[in-house]
Every structure is written in structure tokens, then in C-alpha cells.
């Protein structure tokens, strides 16, 4: 083992996924402390552009497993290929995205490498005492946060929630050196891109993909939105989301929600923010009728500007808001919509 950190990048439909860059930024900060390099491993088919992007964004090396065998995602060949690359790299730490594919590949790799894995991490740091990776994640009891270490087995492996490493940077946990490199600076050395060929002829896949139905995930991915208009139980009914949608479209944003709305059957779970939902960091988070429970706040507190509307002046959401408006959403939201419509007409 050396002090290097491997990140497993993700690509979909020839596009490098945002989580890959977040993992690089997080790994850069850890590598600065371990004294190792950051190696980005990417598996798939037709990876040229994604590999170049990874090289530009702060990896020291990019290892590319490019094969037609990997054109359609299947867990087994991906886990096998990635495990071979990790074995070769012998890193101290491996980071994956806490995405559906990231978790699947990570668990397959952990089994093949006979090491531990902590999934769904919301914070990472190195122990000042022994340098072990401290992997923090919410407990399933919904109240506690646990921190794990992998004492004996190597590499230490974690999957990290999308948005979390960006959030840590925002909170200044990540020092300035962890920022993405200035590509116009002559001091930046481009990363080495290496092919890592894998022989798939011996890999018993056992799975055939019969058909693929494209979802609308990209369109409604709230983790990419710059403006989120979020509704909680205080919006009163599913119709409340119609008002929020109107407001969101005026602000060129998207809607989000608390778990209470999902549990009430007012909306599906895809825009849920929080511990069991998504972690977001928009420029503006407008919280409407949301109390500010810890499980919700953990998914949105790193938003750049938080404005909250709540009729209870003691609602905890106000503790983390830049601007708190005490009032009823039924009264305030139509006024806000009218004012914005007038402003845009003028
Ligand atoms: C394991 C676990 C995981 C969880 N994960 C999540 C998660 O990922 N995301 C999440 O959101 N929650 C999660 N929860 C639930 C969380 O604990 C809260 O119950 C939930 O966030 C509350 O949602 P809310 O704020 O919309 O509803 P409430 O707590 O009911 O708050 C409603 C708010 O609306 C205000 N209000 C009422 N009427 C009006 C009005 N007319 N105008 C303005 N304001 C009004 C009230 O004053 C109140 O503050 C989790 C819980 C557990 C146990």
C-alpha cells in the first residue's frame, strides 16, 4: 500500500457525472494530508472526453478501462474491472459516489478485495492521532451520526453522498488548496491518462439487459438546481405544490420537499431533501412551511442563501436561515408570485 487515493468516477450517456469531480476535490484534500496522489479510475465505453475532463480537474493520474463490454452498465463486470485497477494501484483510500451504481460497484469491490466499506458518508476526514480515514454517516435511527474507521483491512473504502464534498468545501473544512486547479495557471501539470486494459473474456456475467427505459432523472435532478423552492407540511395539501411550481418557474428553479410531504402522498420522493433524501447546495433555498427538523436541515444547510417562510416564529428553520419571514404561505406566496410576475413584465 502507498498513500495514494483512488476515486471511482462515473459516466452516463458519455457525460462525466458531477459526483466524479466532487470526489476528486475531496480526494485532493485528503491526499494533501497523506502525501499521496489522486488516481481517478473510470470504466465504461468511449471514455475519451470524460478522461480528459478528469485529467483537467485535479487528478494526478487517470486510469481508463474502456471496452465495448462495458457499454451497458452491469454490476459484475464493472466491479471486477474496478477491483483489478484498485489492486494494481494499491491505494490507502478508495472513494466512490453514493449513487445507485457507485454503491453497487463499491460493495462488489469490497467483497473482491476483502476489505471494509462504509456507504452513504456525509463527512470524511483523517484522524489526527493515527491518520485513519474517519467515515461519518447518519445512523438509521434518524437521530445519531456515527463515525467509522477501518483499522486493519486495506484499502479504506467509502461511498460519499453527492453534494457532500462540495458542502464540506463551502464550510471551509476544505482549505483553499483543495479548490479545483486554475487551468490557465502555468503551474498546473496535466494529469497522465493511462489505459488500463481488462480481459473480460473470463468474466461470467450471468445478466443480460433486455431493454432500457430512459427516465427523466436528468431534468428533475434537484442537486443541479441553482434555485430550489421547497415545500413542507405547512403548504397544507398537494395543491400547494402547484403554487410552488409557479414560483419556481418564475425564479428559473425547481421544487423540492420535506419527507412529511412524501409520507403524506403529496409528491413522489425524488425531490426530497435530507438525510434519507438528497443533499443540495443551491444558490437560493426557499423553505415554505418547513419546520427545520435536523433530518431535513442536514440536506440543505450548505445552500448559499436560505430564505424561510413559516407561521411559527420559533420554528428551528429560522436558526439556519439568512432571511426568515414569519407568516402564512397561503398569504405570502401569492403576493410573491404577483410581485415577481409584475417585475418580469416591467
Ligand atoms: C430516520 C429518519 C429519516 C428522516 N429523513 C428525512 C429527510 O430526509 N428529509 C426530511 O425532510 N425529513 C426527514 N425525516 C423526518 C423529519 O424528522 C421531520 O419529520 C420532517 O422533516 C418534517 O417535515 P416538515 O418540516 O415539512 O413538517 P412539520 O415538522 O410538520 O413542519 C411543518 C411546518 O410548517 C409550518 N406551517 C404550518 N402551516 C403553515 C402555514 N400555513 N404557513 C407557513 N408555515 C406553516 C409549521 O409551523 C411547521 O414549522 C426523517 C425522520 C427519520 C426518523
Amino acid at each position: 500500500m502507498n498513500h495514494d487515493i483512488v476515486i471511482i468516477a462515473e459516466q452516463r450517456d458519455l457525460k462525466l457525472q458531477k459526483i466524479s469531480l466532487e470526489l476528486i476535490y475531496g480526494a485532493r484534500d485528503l491526499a494533501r494530508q497523506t502525501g499521496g496522489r489522486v488516481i481517478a479510475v473510470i470504466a465504461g465505453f468511449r471514455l475519451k472526453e470524460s478522461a480528459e475532463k478528469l485529467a483537467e480537474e485535479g487528478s494526478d493520474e487517470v486510469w481508463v478501462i474502456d471496452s465495448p463490454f462495458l457499454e451497458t452498465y452491469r454490476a459484475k463486470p464493472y466491479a471486477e474491472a474496478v477491483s483489478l485497477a484498485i489492486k494494481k494501484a494499491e491505494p490507502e483510500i478508495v472513494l466512490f459516489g453514493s449513487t445507485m451504481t457507485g454503491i453497487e460497484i463499491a460493495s462488489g469491490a469490497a467483497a473482491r478485495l476483502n476489505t471494509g466499506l462504509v456507504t452513504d458518508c456525509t463527512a470524511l476526514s483523517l484522524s489526527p492521532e493515527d491518520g485513519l480515514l474517519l467515515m461519518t454517516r447518519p445512523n438509521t435511527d434518524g437521530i445519531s451520526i456515527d463515525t467509522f474507521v477501518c483499522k486493519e483491512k486495506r484499502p479504506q473504502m467509502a461511498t460519499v453522498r453527492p453534494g457532500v464534498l462540495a458542502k464540506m468545501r463551502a464550510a471551509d473544512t476544505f482549505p483553499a488548496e483543495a479548490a479545483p486547479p486554475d487551468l490557465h495557471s502555468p503551474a498546473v501539470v496535466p494529469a497522465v491518462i493511462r489505459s488500463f486494459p481488462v480481459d473480460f473474456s473470463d468474466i461470467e456475467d450471468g445478466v443480460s439487459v433486455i431493454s432500457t427505459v430512459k427516465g427523466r432523472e436528468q431534468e428533475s435532478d434537484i442537486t443541479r438546481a441553482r434555485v430550489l423552492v421547497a415545500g413542507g407540511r405547512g403548504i397544507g395539501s398537494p395543491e400547494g405544490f402547484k403554487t410552488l411550481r409557479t414560483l419556481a418557474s418564475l425564479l428559473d428553479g425547481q421544487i423540492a420537499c420535506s419527507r412529511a410531504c412524501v409520507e403524506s402522498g403529496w409528491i413522489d420522493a425524488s425531490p426530497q431533501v435530507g438525510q434519507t433524501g438528497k443533499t443540495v447546495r443551491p444558490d437560493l433555498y426557499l423553505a415554505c412551511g418547513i419546520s427545520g427538523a435536523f433530518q431535513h436541515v442536514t440536506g440543505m444547510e450548505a445552500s448559499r442563501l436560505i430564505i424561510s417562510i413559516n407561521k411559527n416564529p420559533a420554528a428551528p428553520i429560522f436558526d439556519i436561515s439568512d432571511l426568515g419571514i414569519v407568516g402564512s404561505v397561503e398569504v405570502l406566496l401569492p403576493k410573491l408570485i404577483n410581485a415577481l410576475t409584475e417585475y418580469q413584465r416591467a
Side-chain angles (χ1 to χ4, degrees):
M1 293 286 153
N2 50 50
H3 296 300
D4 294 346
I5 302 187
V6 162
I7 70 109
I8 307 302
E10 287 183 31
Q11 185 223 221
R12 202 165 302 134
D13 296 333
L14 300 184
K15 277 203 200 107
L16 188 67
Q17 299 298 292
K18 196 173 108 189
I19 182 68
S20 314
L21 305 185
E22 292 178 15
L23 292 174
I24 291 180
Y25 304 152
R28 272 247 73 83
D29 183 60
L30 294 171
R32 201 177 43 79
Q33 298 168 62
T34 63
R37 298 167 308 157
V38 174
I39 301 173
V41 172
I42 186 160
F45 185 44
R46 299 201 177 101
L47 296 173
K48 187 172 179 293
E49 268 180 40
S50 294
E52 283 169 2
K53 180 90 178 139
L54 287 168
E56 282 170 8
E57 291 287 338
S59 324
D60 295 301
E61 283 192 17
V62 182
W63 292 15
V64 184
I65 310 168
D66 199 332
S67 163
F69 195 75
L70 298 176
E71 183 166 17
T72 305
Y73 171 76
R74 284 148 306 145
K76 204 170 168 185
Y78 269 76
E80 185 71 31
V82 159
S83 303
L84 289 170
I86 295 171
K87 262 188 204 155
K88 176 83 180 161
E90 297 190 326
E92 181 65 27
I93 293 170
V94 184
L95 304 179
F96 303 78
S98 246
T99 59
M100 274 174 69
T101 50
I103 292 173
E104 234 177 19
I105 297 169
S107 25
R112 284 167 175 80
L113 300 165
N114 190 26
T115 188
L117 171 70
V118 181
T119 55
D120 213 19
C121 291
T122 51
L124 297 174
S125 58
L126 294 178
S127 159
E129 280 91 46
D130 50 20
L132 286 175
L133 182 65
L134 303 175
M135 297 170 274
T136 301
R137 55 161 290 164
N139 188 299
T140 45
D141 69 5
I143 332 169
S144 8
I145 300 278
D146 297 328
T147 297
F148 297 84
V149 287
C150 180
K151 276 197 171 158
E152 284 150 27
K153 303 279 186 169
R154 289 293 176 272
Q156 303 165 83
M157 305 215 305
T159 76
V160 190
R161 267 197 197 189
V164 157
L165 294 171
K167 173 172 145 181
M168 287 165 71
R169 291 177 71 215
D172 278 336
T173 310
F174 277 38
E177 297 93 293
D182 174 4
L183 299 180
H184 305 293
S185 155
V188 175
V189 182
V192 178
I193 300 179
R194 291 175 47 182
S195 167
F196 187 83
V198 171
D199 178 6
F200 288 99
S201 57
D202 288 341
I203 296 177
E204 264 297 316
D205 187 5
V207 171
S208 331
V209 178
I210 299 164
S211 69
T212 304
V213 179
K214 288 261 178 235
R216 296 174 55 206
E217 193 197 346
Q218 294 290 63
E219 281 169 44
S220 61
D221 182 0
I222 59 166
T223 63
R224 291 160 187 260
R226 299 188 67 182
V227 173
L228 283 174
V229 178
R233 206 191 319 256
I235 64 164
S237 69
E239 282 67 46
F241 279 104
K242 286 189 189 151
T243 313
L244 298 190
R245 276 201 182 88
T246 308
L247 183 55
S249 77
L250 283 165
L251 293 168
D252 207 9
Q254 294 186 46
I255 56 159
C257 69
S258 71
R259 180 157 134 175
C261 301
V262 178
E263 284 174 349
S264 304
W266 297 351
I267 190 163
D268 74 273
S270 61
Q272 183 193 313
V273 169
Q275 182 182 319
T276 45
K278 301 206 165 90
T279 301
V280 296
R281 190 174 160 244
D283 292 340
L284 169 62
Y285 193 89
L286 179 55
C288 308
I290 294 177
S291 58
F294 156 76
Q295 294 92 347
H296 184 82
V297 165
T298 193
M300 46 66 76
E301 64 192 331
S303 303
R304 290 210 167 84
L305 180 70
I306 300 172
I307 301 179
S308 303
I309 302 174
N310 197 301
K311 68 178 186 186
N312 175 7
I317 193 79
F318 289 138
D319 298 342
I320 55 137
S321 298
D322 299 288
L323 175 66
I325 305 168
V326 179
S328 160
V329 288
E330 295 88 339
V331 175
L332 291 169
L333 292 181
K335 285 187 175 171
L336 190 53
I337 288 171
N338 283 342
L340 281 167
T341 310
E342 287 303 316
Y343 176 78
Q344 291 186 358
R345 265 197 211 125

